[in-house]
Amino acid sequence: TRRMKSTDSTYKSSMLVDLEQKRSATEIDEINGKIMELAKEGRGASTPVVAVVAELVRAAAEKRQGSPGMDPEELWDVLLSRAPESRASLAPNALMGRWSGVRSRL
C-alpha cells in the first residue's frame, strides 16, 4: 500500500491566499470551470457541488472582505440548500471525515 503524505497544517491554497489578501480575482473559473466543462463534455454530467463552491469563492472575491470562513458544517448546509440534487452523492460522514483535523476554512 502506498502511504499518503501527511498534511501540512500551515498550507493555504492560492485561492484562500487571494481571498485573505482581498483580491478581486482568483483562478476559480479556470479550475472549477474546467472541471464542469470536462464533466459535461465527457459524460454529460452536471457538477452542482463544484458550481456552488465556485459561486461562493466568486462572491467572496467580489466583496473583497476575505474568506467567508465557513466551517465544514456550514458548507454542508449551503451545498444542500443550493444543490439538493447532490444529497445522494454527498455522504455527510464521508464529507466530514475528509475535513476532520483540517483547520483552514473556505
Side-chain angles (χ1 to χ4, degrees):
T1 34
R2 197 168 135 197
R3 294 181 88 170
M4 287 182 61
K5 187 176 181 180
S6 63
T7 305
D8 178 357
S9 63
T10 63
Y11 173 80
K12 293 182 180 183
S13 71
S14 60
M15 270 188 266
L16 179 57
V17 171
D18 288 340
L19 293 175
E20 288 178 342
Q21 294 182 356
K22 300 178 181 167
R23 295 182 183 142
S24 62
T26 70
E27 62 273 319
I28 192 69
D29 290 320
E30 289 79 14
I31 296 171
N32 285 34
K34 191 64 174 179
I35 291 169
M36 292 184 285
E37 177 187 319
L38 290 171
K40 189 172 184 178
E41 287 175 1
R43 299 191 182 252
S46 66
T47 53
V49 171
V50 174
V52 170
V53 171
E55 288 173 23
L56 293 170
V57 172
R58 271 190 232 105
E62 287 174 16
K63 290 179 184 175
R64 297 182 106 177
Q65 295 176 344
S67 170
M70 299 173 80
D71 64 32
E73 290 80 14
E74 290 172 295
L75 180 58
W76 172 251
D77 290 342
V78 170
L79 290 173
L80 288 180
S81 70
R82 295 194 190 174
E85 68 277 17
S86 300
R87 180 178 285 281
S89 64
L90 291 172
N93 293 334
L95 186 62
M96 295 307 162
R98 287 186 203 129
W99 277 322
S100 63
V102 175
R103 290 180 25 197
S104 64
R105 298 169 163 217
L106 171 63

